[in-house]
Amino acid sequence: SLVSRALGRAYLAFCDREQRRALLDMLQRSDNQEDALAHDRPALLAGLRKVRQQGYALRAPGVRPVSGTLAVPVLEGQQVIATLGMTWIASAVSDEQAIARYLQPLCQVSAQISARLAEL
């Protein structure tokens, strides 16, 4: 799900407004339980603003609580073209520990990919 999973949330937070609007319009018609947040657009947009400000996304609370996922955007110029993430077992690593340990390396890999794309 683009609204409940970390990779989708990172994508939505960093894509341009027009693309986000089109994706959210489609998701509002979804009856998938994981897309339910798309029905409350103000709350979803507030959450996406937070993701954009912090530079990363986590999976929505309550979705597959056995594990956690951290995701960052991969940019080509100003355009998000992909997301990069990692998943861990929640009983072994908390969200806070994963952010402290792995956010910087994940961002570095994303930046390296973006730099290589700029060379093409």
Side-chain angles (χ1 to χ4, degrees):
S1 169
L2 288 173
V3 297
S4 63
R5 304 291 177 139
L7 294 162
R9 291 163 68 116
Y11 188 89
L12 279 176
F14 287 89
C15 69
D16 65 54
R17 284 187 181 134
E18 187 175 313
Q19 185 178 28
R20 184 180 311 111
R21 186 178 308 117
L23 291 169
L24 293 179
D25 287 346
M26 288 188 304
L27 289 167
Q28 273 190 308
R29 295 188 295 273
S30 171
D31 59 359
N32 183 322
Q33 205 168 8
E34 283 195 38
D35 296 332
L37 186 55
H39 300 283
D40 184 354
R41 193 170 288 202
L44 178 56
L45 291 174
L48 295 176
R49 276 192 299 277
K50 180 180 177 188
V51 167
R52 192 172 180 98
Q53 289 169 351
Q54 62 193 17
Y56 65 87
L58 294 169
R59 187 183 307 147
V63 175
R64 192 158 166 72
V66 69
S67 62
T69 301
L70 172 65
V72 297
V74 176
L75 303 172
E76 185 173 28
Q78 297 297 315
Q79 182 176 356
V80 63
I81 59 162
T83 54
L84 180 66
M86 64 168 289
T87 299
W88 61 89
I89 302 300
S91 62
V93 178
S94 70
D95 287 352
E96 294 77 17
Q97 290 171 320
I99 292 164
R101 290 181 193 166
Y102 304 115
L103 178 59
Q104 183 178 5
L106 203 57
C107 287
Q108 289 172 339
V109 171
S110 173
Q112 290 171 349
I113 294 169
S114 294
R116 291 293 305 266
L117 288 170
E119 295 172 0
L120 299 178

